[in-house]
Amino acid sequence: METTKANERIFLASPHMSDEGYELQYVQEAFDTNWIAPLGKNVNEFEKELANKVGSKSAAALSSGTGAIHLALRAAGVGEGDIVFCPTLTFSATANPIIYQNATPVFIDSNYETWNMCPKALEQAFEKYPEVKAVIVVHLYGLSADMDKVMEVCKKHNVVVIEDAAESLGGYYKGQQTGTFGDYGIFSFNGNKIITTSGGGMLVSNNEERIAKVRFWATQSRDQARHYQHSELGFNYRMSNVVAGIGRGQLKVLEERVEKKKYIFEYYKRELGELEGVKFMPVNEWDEPNFWLSSMTLSGKVTPIEVMEALEKENIESRPIWKPMHMQPFFEKYDFVGSDVSEKLFEKGVCLPSDTKMTDEDLARVVEIIKGFWLS
Ligand SMILES: *Cc1c(COP(=O)(O)O)cnc(C)c1O
């Protein structure tokens, strides 16, 4: 393939602003009205627009998804010594805020059916730790967890549920958006997510009073008083009005991005899915993922490391599946409930480049390199 783009880097997932320039229009408006900071119209509108889009009553725009998880834990009343169940197969940002609150994570295994939290392991964890305060559920790579089963177990034990939907904005479980099943849901607009504001997050909930409280905490917990008065610990976690402008523009192209991510996944699956030992991430009949990252496992003669190295040699980015939290030096002292599913997914998994700016030629380049292992 001797095209001029033959050696241009192909990214796993990179920022993709709208062709129409929506983002700049909102940012321009912020400049024109000098609402660079603090807060302002873009923040208020972005909260409303996102809440409407996902079907939640209210939302708080924050500086990151991690901050959103942190304040969700505070809103759930999680504090020192409390136990929080957390999937082991996730990015560390899901688990870190549990530590910020001086609480104790207990890591839960995945199942092969969803790659997400295993309802059976969750049930076992409840037997071991009936005093658990909250459960965080993650929708990895845009695949939804089995929410009916997870929620059934959680309701039985009357526990607060926080959904980490950082990777699954625009994805549905049985027709309902991920992030809206639990008491709280969080989204991320970090640079590699399906839509981005360069950095940012959102906390959604149907409990408007708790969301108001989150906004209060996120702006340094300033009491209603003429002077600076504080009766609670505060945080500087609010999203800026400039950043929110980018978010409002990006929200307009969310469906378009999901469509392209799905196209990428289907392309890979069609071209690579029949190769011996290749298995693509599971798409259940009740799941309409956003296909954030197309991922597969390799269990035959070809190893993930070989594939990732071959792609890197051609200037193409790929990466392993998240390394489970219970295997991380920082987190290994905490308890883990389950078997070896997450560990196996980590050992065998590869995330393929899923950048929405990829052309068919780019996809063909990736496929050709990977297929090469089966031809030799
Ligand atoms: C990206 C991500 C986060 C953190 O979001 P930030 O906005 O980067 O703080 C949390 N959880 C998961 C699963 C993520 O992928």
Side-chain angles (χ1 to χ4, degrees):
M1 279 192 312
E2 287 303 316
T3 65
T4 49
K5 295 188 82 184
N7 279 315
E8 219 165 87
R9 183 147 178 89
I10 298 176
F11 293 101
L12 198 68
S14 70
H16 188 173
M17 295 298 115
S18 67
D19 294 336
E20 296 83 354
Y22 298 131
E23 298 84 357
L24 264 182
Q25 286 166 29
Y26 290 118
V27 170
Q28 188 64 51
E29 203 178 298
F31 274 67
D32 291 345
T33 55
N34 202 34
W35 275 115
I36 306 303
L39 300 167
K41 182 180 163 194
N42 280 337
V43 171
N44 300 337
E45 293 301 313
F46 187 33
E47 286 177 344
K48 277 190 219 147
E49 288 159 5
L50 185 122
N52 279 340
K53 178 84 82 182
V54 301
S56 189
K57 271 200 189 133
S58 55
L62 302 169
S63 52
S64 71
T66 310
I69 298 171
H70 188 190
L71 294 189
L73 288 168
R74 289 186 75 86
V78 170
E80 180 146 17
D82 287 333
I83 287 169
V84 178
F85 293 161
C86 175
T88 191
L89 193 65
T90 186
F91 180 45
S92 64
T94 311
N96 283 331
I98 301 170
I99 309 296
Y100 302 164
Q101 283 303 98
N102 295 312
T104 306
V106 169
F107 295 112
I108 315 285
D109 207 359
S110 293
N111 60 15
Y112 286 116
E113 293 75 49
T114 64
W115 286 18
N116 283 305
M117 187 179 264
C118 171
K120 283 200 195 100
L122 178 63
E123 186 71 72
Q124 283 164 14
F126 273 112
E127 278 159 30
K128 198 167 174 188
Y129 299 99
E131 74 279 25
V132 58
K133 191 90 180 214
V135 175
I136 305 179
V137 189
V138 178
H139 305 291
L140 216 62
Y141 304 131
L143 303 170
S144 76
D146 192 347
M147 289 312 286
D148 279 353
K149 286 192 188 145
V150 167
M151 291 306 290
E152 189 191 314
V153 178
C154 290
K155 282 204 177 114
K156 197 167 87 189
H157 296 276
N158 199 21
V159 74
V160 180
V161 176
I162 298 166
E163 275 178 276
D164 178 349
E167 302 179 2
S168 69
L169 179 61
Y172 294 78
Y173 172 84
K174 295 188 180 174
Q176 184 178 336
Q177 293 244 14
T178 55
T180 63
F181 290 84
D183 300 275
Y184 302 97
I186 78 94
F187 299 99
S188 165
F189 312 111
N190 188 33
N192 62 6
K193 296 296 174 0
I194 191 152
I195 60 170
T196 183
T197 59
S198 76
M202 193 77 81
L203 174 54
V204 300
S205 177
N206 286 330
N207 188 333
E208 291 165 88
E209 177 249 328
R210 295 314 279 165
I211 289 292
K213 189 78 186 189
V214 162
R215 292 195 192 107
F216 169 76
W217 287 331
T219 44
Q220 310 283 24
S221 295
R222 277 181 65 184
D223 294 345
Q224 296 280 352
R226 197 184 309 272
H227 49 277
Y228 279 81
Q229 175 155 310
H230 307 275
S231 26
E232 285 187 66
L233 178 64
F235 299 85
N236 184 4
Y237 274 0
R238 218 43 174 126
M239 181 180 277
S240 94
N241 199 47
V242 175
V243 158
I246 305 175
R248 293 182 72 191
Q250 284 273 278
L251 212 49
K252 288 185 193 284
V253 293
L254 174 62
E255 286 80 11
E256 226 175 282
R257 297 291 174 267
V258 173
E259 212 172 289
K260 182 62 188 271
K261 294 274 192 191
K262 186 177 184 187
Y263 176 86
I264 292 169
F265 176 79
E266 285 172 349
Y267 188 107
Y268 285 138
K269 196 169 175 189
R270 187 172 62 240
E271 295 293 326
L272 305 170
E274 304 301 317
L275 297 172
E276 204 192 323
V278 170
K279 219 170 166 183
F280 273 84
M281 60 190 196
V283 178
N284 291 285
E285 75 280 359
W286 36 256
D287 195 4
E288 281 175 71
N290 72 358
F291 298 96
W292 175 54
L293 293 184
S294 286
S295 306
M296 61 177 187
T297 55
L298 298 170
S299 43
K301 57 170 184 146
V302 184
T303 66
I305 291 173
E306 283 175 312
V307 168
M308 289 185 283
E309 281 177 352
L311 290 172
E312 192 51 53
K313 232 169 44 207
E314 296 298 322
N315 206 18
I316 298 168
E317 190 183 11
S318 63
R319 72 174 178 206
I321 301 264
W322 299 121
K323 180 174 179 178
M325 290 303 113
H326 74 282
M327 296 169 71
Q328 299 286 353
F330 181 75
F331 288 111
E332 65 190 5
K333 63 177 176 283
Y334 299 103
D335 201 6
F336 163 73
V337 179
S339 62
D340 62 352
V341 177
S342 303
E343 201 172 325
K344 286 279 182 298
L345 287 171
F346 165 61
E347 275 169 23
K348 297 176 177 176
V350 184
C351 301
L352 296 171
S354 309
D355 195 292
T356 49
K357 291 196 292 303
M358 284 174 83
T359 60
D360 278 6
E361 288 72 37
D362 294 333
L363 287 164
R365 251 176 84 193
V366 174
V367 160
E368 193 181 286
I369 293 163
I370 298 174
K371 267 186 178 167
F373 284 99
W374 277 263
L375 296 174
S376 53

